[in-house]
Amino acid sequence: WFVSDDGADLQRYEIATGTVIGPGGYLLLVQDETFGNAGDPGCRVPFGLSRAGETVRLHSGEGGELTGYSVQERFGASQAGVTLGRHVKSTGGYDFVPLSVATPGAANAAPQVGPVVISEIMYHPTASDQVQYVELCNISDAPVTLHDEALGLAWRFTDDPDNPEISLLLAGGEPVTLPAGHCLLLVKDLLSFSLAHDVPDDVAVLAWGPGMLSHGGERIEISRPGAVAGDGVVAWIGLDRVAYSDGSHPQDSTVGVDPWPIEADGQGLSLHRIDPTAYGNDPTNWKAAVPSPGIR
């Protein structure tokens, strides 16, 4: 079989003939010993994995040629020392996400969660979309500054990292620091939101301006800046993401049922994360409840 990071050259590394993975077993390929080692007999073109993210491909083979089976995994930019892996959700689907600890050759650990998470989503207010909001919460026991001092860049919030309609840098003229247990509110429109909701005085509020949260559901994400390429393009490292739905799209589910609560779709309720310390992109960790922006 073959492993590659290039869609135009799927045979960069050939796994040794006779290699067998037993039921429930694992095969560990270490770059310096295998696919990145020109001295390995199976290494046709040495390659490494980019910290800015790319796609890894596995293809079956026989007699040195490709056969019918293939699988690939696209992964995003990653932090140094943080492993990425497959996490199976309650729906039966899976995400490929940062893990809490590396487990080479063994079952994956739980996903990494925090220090800042998406804790509430108001995507379809009854009155006006101008009062849409997303609540972020610092679930750690220490202050978190939403800014990378070395790069001079703030963290950001987007509704679609690949093609964002909403893109907001999390800075209010200067770096924003969230004390332990505190929230940050991201709103569509400051005036409309302030007329609709009273929030504690110590809760910071930022407006994203252009763009709306989809009523039918979409992916939203907070990320921090990673490496900056020579052309100035930033590799954003995803920290917390939620692909919410309105509860009315069973065709998009692997189980034929949309498990997201329909009561948050224009019925006066918002989506609340049930356990902020548990993985967020899973409908079993969300419920519909009375809006409470900035109040934990």
Side-chain angles (χ1 to χ4, degrees):
W1 289 31
F2 298 90
V3 177
S4 177
D5 68 341
D6 187 342
D9 182 5
L10 301 175
Q11 297 174 284
R12 288 191 158 190
Y13 181 75
E14 183 176 5
I15 298 173
T17 300
T19 300
V20 175
I21 304 177
Y26 302 90
L27 173 64
L28 179 63
L29 301 177
V30 180
Q31 177 181 321
D32 292 346
E33 300 172 3
T34 56
F35 57 85
N37 175 17
D40 186 306
C43 188
R44 300 182 179 185
V45 179
F47 66 94
L49 303 178
S50 173
R51 66 175 181 173
E54 58 174 322
T55 300
V56 176
R57 298 167 172 86
L58 172 69
H59 285 260
S60 62
E62 184 176 357
E65 301 298 330
L66 298 172
T67 55
Y69 176 80
S70 67
V71 65
Q72 64 183 36
E73 195 61 58
R74 178 187 176 192
F75 61 92
S78 57
Q79 296 175 261
V82 177
T83 185
L84 306 175
R86 179 184 292 233
H87 170 71
V88 179
K89 302 184 290 185
S90 64
T91 59
Y94 77 92
D95 291 335
F96 207 80
V97 293
L99 303 178
S100 55
V101 64
T103 57
N108 288 348
Q112 184 182 78
V113 179
V116 178
V117 302
I118 298 168
S119 50
E120 186 178 347
I121 306 167
M122 172 56 87
Y123 67 88
H124 192 179
T126 54
S128 167
D129 284 341
Q130 296 299 310
V131 295
Q132 289 181 337
Y133 67 85
V134 173
E135 178 189 82
L136 309 183
C137 184
N138 175 6
I139 63 171
S140 75
D141 57 4
V144 176
T145 298
L146 312 182
H147 186 270
D148 188 297
E149 184 176 355
L151 296 176
L153 293 171
W155 295 14
R156 74 168 185 172
F157 167 74
T158 57
D159 65 335
D160 180 351
D162 295 325
N163 186 28
E165 181 182 348
I166 299 171
S167 183
L168 172 66
L169 292 177
L170 304 183
E174 59 183 25
V176 173
T177 297
L178 279 183
H182 279 235
C183 298
L184 170 66
L185 291 173
L186 313 179
V187 306
K188 163 62 184 171
D189 180 76
L190 279 174
L191 178 59
S192 299
F193 178 81
S194 63
L195 293 174
H197 296 285
D198 292 322
V199 300
D201 293 336
D202 60 350
V203 174
V205 183
L206 299 175
W208 68 68
M212 297 281 191
L213 296 176
S214 170
H215 291 179
E218 62 176 330
R219 171 179 167 179
I220 59 175
E221 179 175 291
I222 53 174
S223 54
R224 64 181 301 167
V228 180
D231 58 3
V233 175
V234 179
W236 292 96
I237 300 171
L239 297 180
D240 196 45
R241 66 178 180 183
V242 179
Y244 70 88
S245 179
D246 62 358
S248 302
H249 291 81
Q251 69 276 12
D252 297 334
S253 171
T254 58
V255 293
V257 176
D258 190 336
W260 287 88
I262 196 170
E263 295 83 4
D265 184 21
Q267 300 184 36
L269 303 182
S270 61
L271 292 173
H272 291 243
R273 193 170 181 145
I274 297 171
D275 181 358
T277 66
Y279 184 59
N281 194 30
D282 194 322
T284 193
N285 197 25
W286 290 85
K287 65 179 181 179
V290 175
S292 58
I295 301 172
R296 303 306 301 160

